[in-house]
Amino acid sequence: GGISDTKAIADAAMPQGAIINESSVNETGVVSSTANQGGYSGALISISYAAASSSNKLLVIAQFNISIDGTSAASYATLHVAGSPSYRGNADGNRNRVTASARPGNDGGQENFSIVHLISSPSTSSTTYDIRGSHAQDANLTMYLNRTEDDVNQNYEGRCASSITILEFVG
């Protein structure tokens, strides 16, 4: 007999909660982008994904490392879906609406972030899910993925790895 591409159980027949697909991007290099205070940088790490069905759910799992070129008291990260901020704090005055926040212990140090978010009614078209940074200094600053600001060529400096993963569940 020949080899068949037919699934033993069709996606539609899978029980609710079954994982039917996954996709992951690992970024081990350095990525940089600039942002003004209160704004978002460009994508620091991203993945494109099309759900099999809009009644399914997507679990987005991101772990990544950000540093800032400057003396910002805080670094922030926000999940964006199709270019728009998603899963962030409520609006309240002038406060920056973000997904996660960190306060570096030293100027230009890396902060490790983790974001886990379940998306209901995902798009069945290819959609970009990405992480963008922001900061708390009144300036246009460069934000780095996977390196410190100074990036000194010494064994006390670290280069990190970041990832973003999507798991698709039957809804």
Side-chain angles (χ1 to χ4, degrees):
I3 296 174
S4 172
D5 286 337
T6 304
K7 292 183 173 186
I9 302 174
D11 287 348
M14 296 290 280
Q16 185 172 0
I19 298 174
I20 60 165
N21 201 4
E22 59 79 26
S23 185
S24 187
V25 168
N26 295 322
E27 180 57 71
T28 57
V30 170
V31 177
S32 64
S33 182
T34 59
N36 269 317
Q37 176 178 299
Y40 299 110
S41 71
L44 295 172
I45 185 169
S46 66
I47 189 170
S48 292
Y49 190 85
S53 168
S54 61
S55 63
N56 289 344
K57 296 184 184 334
L58 301 183
L59 183 63
V60 179
I61 305 166
Q63 77 78 32
F64 50 95
N65 309 279
I66 293 177
S67 70
I68 304 170
D69 182 18
T71 57
S72 176
S75 57
Y76 306 113
T78 303
L79 174 66
H80 281 63
V81 177
S84 295
S86 175
Y87 184 52
R88 57 191 183 147
N90 290 341
D92 189 357
N94 293 322
R95 293 165 186 86
N96 197 354
R97 298 181 64 198
V98 298
T99 307
S101 172
R103 295 213 173 244
N106 64 317
D107 181 20
Q110 292 186 79
E111 291 290 337
N112 179 262
F113 290 84
S114 295
I115 295 174
V116 179
H117 179 56
L118 188 67
I119 296 174
S120 299
S121 306
S123 174
T124 56
S125 300
S126 183
T127 302
T128 301
Y129 300 84
D130 63 55
I131 303 298
R132 301 183 189 200
S134 48
H135 58 81
Q137 184 173 328
D138 189 14
N140 193 33
L141 300 179
T142 301
M143 304 192 75
Y144 299 101
L145 184 78
N146 294 336
R147 63 160 266 198
T148 62
E149 171 198 3
D150 292 339
D151 197 35
V152 176
N153 187 17
Q154 295 292 334
N155 62 3
Y156 56 77
E157 288 285 0
R159 285 286 178 94
C160 296
S162 299
S163 68
I164 186 166
T165 300
I166 292 180
L167 301 176
E168 184 173 357
F169 295 85
V170 174

